[in-house]
Amino acid sequence: MEDLDLCWCGSNKHYKDCHKEFDIKYKEKQRQGYKLPKKEWIKNSDEIEGIRKAAFYNNGLLDLIGEKIKAGMTTEDIDVLCTNFLDENKCVSADFNYQGYPKHICTSINDVVCHGIPSTKDVLKNGDIVNVDSTLFYGKYCADASRMYEIGNVSEKAHKLVYVTQECLKKAIEVIKPWESTLNDIGLAIEKYAHKRGFTVVEEFCGHGVGRKMHEDPMVLHYSVREKTCLLVPGMVITIEPMINEGRRDIYVDENDGWTVRTLDHKLSAQVEHTIVITEDGVEILSK
Ligand code: MF3
Ligand code: CO
Ligand code: CO
C-alpha cells in the first residue's frame, strides 16, 4: 500500500516515484552510523525551483551593484539601487525589518566583518574592499548571497584577502559529495585553506539552511568541530558564507547600532556567500 501513498516531501508525486530510493539510502547510512539531516530540511523540486528563481534575481542585483559601485558613492546609494531593483523585479528584501534591521542589504567595508548598515555617512573610497550581502524573496522563496567589491586600486594584502576568501568558498563547495561528505567537511576545508594562507576564520557567524525563510537549520560552521555532524544529502539547500580576517579572528558588535560587526584589531575582513543545493551527483550553485 505504501507505494500508492504520496511522498513525504510534498511533491504530490507517488512515494515510489519520488523519495523511495532516497529513503533506502537514508536508512542504510543511518545503519552505518552516520548522522542524517532531518527530513524537513529536504526541499522538493518545486521548492528548489522557487529558490533558484529567487537566486536568479539576487544575482542580477549583485551584478548591477558590480556595474555601479565606485568611489564617491555612499552605501545608502547602494541601498537605494537595491530597493529600485527589488521593486522593478517584484522581489522583497528579507533583510528589511529582520529583527528590526533598518535597510535592504548589508554593506560591510574593510574592518567590518558583516551586517554593516547602509548609511549616507559611509562614502566609498579608492582602496576599500566592500561586501554586499543580499537576501531576497521572490514569491514564497528566498536566496541569500554576497560578493566582495574592490573600489579602485586596492592594496596587495586586501586583494589577497579577497582572493583567499573566494577560494575558501570554492574549496568548501568542492568537498561536497552527496551521501559521502558531512557538514564538518565544509568547515574543515575553509579553515585549512584560510590558515594555510595566514588568515583567520570568524566563528561567531555561520552559514545556514535557506529557502522558505532566510535562516533555517542546519547551521553551517566555517571551522571544524570534533562532534559528529550530519551527512550532506540531495535536496538540502544551504548557504556557505565564510568570514576571513587578515589579523585575529576576534570581533565585536558596534554598540551604537547593535548590528555592525567589526574586527577587534581593526584589520581587514572579507566574506563571500553562495546559496547552494546538494543534488544527486554533486552541487548546484544557485547564486551564480
Ligand atoms: N544575509 C545575512 C546572512 O547571510 C543575514 C543578514 S540579516 C540582516 O545570513 F538583518 F542583517 F540583514
Ligand atoms: Co546567509
Ligand atoms: Co547573506
Side-chain angles (χ1 to χ4, degrees), residues 92-106 133-137 144 214 259:
V92 177
S93 166
D95 292 349
F96 183 67
N97 250 332
Y98 177 82
Q99 295 180 2
Y101 187 76
K103 295 287 173 174
H104 306 81
I105 46 165
C106 298
D133 190 335
S134 167
T135 313
L136 63 76
F137 273 94
D144 185 4
M214 170 157 66
W259 283 100

Side-chain angles (χ1 to χ4, degrees), residues 44-232:
N44 67 39
S45 51
D46 293 339
E47 292 173 311
I48 292 165
E49 183 52 29
I51 301 165
R52 191 180 282 115
K53 286 207 178 93
F56 170 82
Y57 288 109
N58 213 17
N59 296 338
L61 176 60
L62 296 174
D63 286 345
L64 176 68
I65 293 165
E67 286 164 25
K68 303 280 179 189
I69 199 166
K70 61 173 197 297
M73 252 177 131
T74 68
T75 50
E76 172 67 19
D77 293 334
I78 303 173
D79 197 73
V80 170
L81 201 70
C82 290
T83 54
N84 291 335
F85 180 93
L86 294 169
D87 289 347
E88 283 161 20
N89 292 288
K90 299 187 172 63
C91 297
V92 177
S93 166
D95 292 349
F96 183 67
N97 250 332
Y98 177 82
Q99 295 180 2
Y101 187 76
K103 295 287 173 174
H104 306 81
I105 46 165
C106 298
T107 49
S108 303
I109 308 172
N110 298 335
D111 68 331
V112 177
V113 175
C114 61
H115 303 166
I117 305 175
S119 158
T120 52
K121 290 188 195 130
D122 289 324
V123 185
L124 299 178
K125 58 182 193 310
N126 185 48
D128 283 345
I129 56 169
V130 188
N131 171 276
V132 179
D133 190 335
S134 167
T135 313
L136 63 76
F137 273 94
Y138 180 71
K140 278 180 2 197
Y141 299 103
C142 67
D144 185 4
S146 82
R147 294 185 198 166
M148 290 301 297
Y149 301 93
E150 298 184 354
I151 309 302
N153 299 312
V154 310
S155 70
E156 211 171 293
K157 67 174 187 189
H159 183 73
K160 182 183 165 197
L161 177 66
V162 170
Y163 171 77
V164 169
T165 305
Q166 289 163 342
E167 284 295 300
C168 281
L169 178 54
K170 204 164 140 196
K171 289 182 187 300
I173 293 171
E174 279 168 6
V175 297
I176 299 174
K177 302 273 177 293
W179 299 110
E180 272 179 47
S181 37
T182 64
L183 274 175
N184 198 55
D185 293 324
I186 293 174
L188 187 63
I190 292 166
E191 187 178 73
K192 252 171 61 184
Y193 187 72
H195 289 171
K196 189 172 104 186
R197 302 301 301 263
F199 296 132
T200 58
V201 180
V202 174
E203 298 187 358
E204 287 82 353
F205 299 91
C206 59
H208 46 91
V210 65
R212 305 170 192 133
K213 289 187 302 177
M214 170 157 66
H215 290 148
E216 300 176 355
D217 285 333
M219 295 205 299
V220 180
L221 303 185
H222 302 121
Y223 57 96
S224 63
V225 291
R226 290 181 180 279
E227 67 263 29
K228 199 189 267 187
T229 59
C230 87
L231 211 54
L232 298 166

